[in-house]
């Protein structure tokens, strides 16, 4: 049996197959399906885009109770990454939910220094820029760190793990 085709799109001579029906019952996605990645301009306003995206994704997955902590962490990650990011390169955000925890990761283009003193100075500078975020992560019972990015093009990967149970209690929410 042949599948019916819809008429060709304007400017296209070949008819397109119809879109399949959306699976599921229309319920919001579960927390376990939360997996988003986004490239954001390496500009000061990138932190606002990151915060808004995190807020919307968590809301869509019924994780509103962790928005205050996750939004704060995303903004701080982006602000610090923008600060050390060379030449306004794009920043990359990854947001995942696994085993009862959120994992936020930001990749920036700042490569590791080969000289040990420069590397130590750079690490101290990055840690100082992330003091507020570090306090939020600690209050939520999470962990964070940074290191060389395994992505093509190199740079630095800064990650945060926030247990949902701990993040839900942030700011008494």
């Amino acid at each position: 049996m042949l599948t019916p085709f819809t008429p060709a799109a304007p400017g296209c001579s070949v008819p397109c197959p119809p879109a399949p029906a959306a699976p599921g019952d229309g319920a919001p996605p579960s927390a376990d399906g939360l997996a988003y990645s986004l490239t954001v301009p390496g500009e000061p306003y990138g932190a606002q885009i990151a915060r808004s995206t995190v807020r919307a994704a968590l809301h869509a997955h019924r994780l509103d109770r962790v928005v205050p902590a996750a939004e704060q962490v995303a903004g701080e990650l982006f602000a610090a990454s923008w600060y050390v990011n060379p030449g306004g390169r794009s920043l990359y955000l990854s947001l995942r939910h696994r085993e009862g925890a959120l994992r936020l990761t930001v990749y920036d283009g700042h490569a590791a220094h080969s000289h040990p003193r420069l590397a130590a100075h750079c690490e101290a500078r990055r840690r100082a820029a992330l003091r507020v975020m570090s306090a939020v992560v600690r209050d939520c019972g999470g962990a964070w760190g940074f290191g060389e990015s395994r992505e093509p093009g190199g740079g630095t990967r800064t990650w945060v793990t926030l247990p949902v149970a701990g993040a839900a209690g942030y700011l008494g929410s």
Side-chain angles (χ1 to χ4, degrees), residues 4 22 41 48 59 64-65 68 84 101 118 131 148 150 152 158 160 166:
Q48 177 59 36
H59 176 72
D64 294 285
R65 65 192 187 278
V84 299
L118 284 176
R131 278 186 293 224
E148 189 173 343
R150 296 178 294 235
T158 308
V160 172

Side-chain angles (χ1 to χ4, degrees), residues 10 36 40 46 85 91 109 140 145 155:
Y36 295 91
V40 179
N85 193 36
L91 301 171
C140 295

Side-chain angles (χ1 to χ4, degrees), residues 105-120:
T105 307
V106 172
Y107 297 86
D108 63 55
H110 188 79
H113 298 279
S114 57
H115 191 280
R117 286 203 332 239
L118 284 176

Side-chain angles (χ1 to χ4, degrees), residues 85-165:
N85 193 36
R89 287 186 188 166
S90 295
L91 301 171
Y92 179 78
L93 168 70
S94 174
L95 173 65
R96 307 258 185 269
H97 177 273
R98 299 286 183 276
E99 300 173 1
L102 290 177
R103 184 165 179 117
L104 294 95
T105 307
V106 172
Y107 297 86
D108 63 55
H110 188 79
H113 298 279
S114 57
H115 191 280
R117 286 203 332 239
L118 284 176
H121 175 73
C122 189
E123 180 177 327
R125 187 172 152 203
R126 190 178 290 264
R127 286 187 185 283
L130 291 168
R131 278 186 293 224
V132 171
M133 186 210 68
S134 178
V136 173
V137 172
R138 184 181 56 245
D139 287 352
C140 295
W144 72 280
F146 57 87
E148 189 173 343
S149 173
R150 296 178 294 235
E151 297 296 312
T156 301
R157 173 181 63 97
T158 308
W159 58 269
V160 172
T161 301
L162 291 175
V164 169

Side-chain angles (χ1 to χ4, degrees), residues 7-102:
C12 181
S13 61
V14 179
C16 300
D25 57 4
S30 73
D32 291 333
L34 192 146
Y36 295 91
S37 298
L38 174 71
T39 302
V40 179
E43 300 292 336
Y45 61 84
Q48 177 59 36
I49 293 170
R51 287 190 304 268
S52 298
T53 300
V54 166
R55 181 183 330 111
L58 293 173
H59 176 72
H61 288 269
R62 298 178 289 202
L63 287 167
D64 294 285
R65 65 192 187 278
V66 300
V67 166
E71 195 174 23
Q72 181 73 37
V73 165
E76 296 291 330
L77 278 173
F78 259 79
S81 293
W82 168 77
Y83 182 66
V84 299
N85 193 36
R89 287 186 188 166
S90 295
L91 301 171
Y92 179 78
L93 168 70
S94 174
L95 173 65
R96 307 258 185 269
H97 177 273
R98 299 286 183 276
E99 300 173 1
L102 290 177

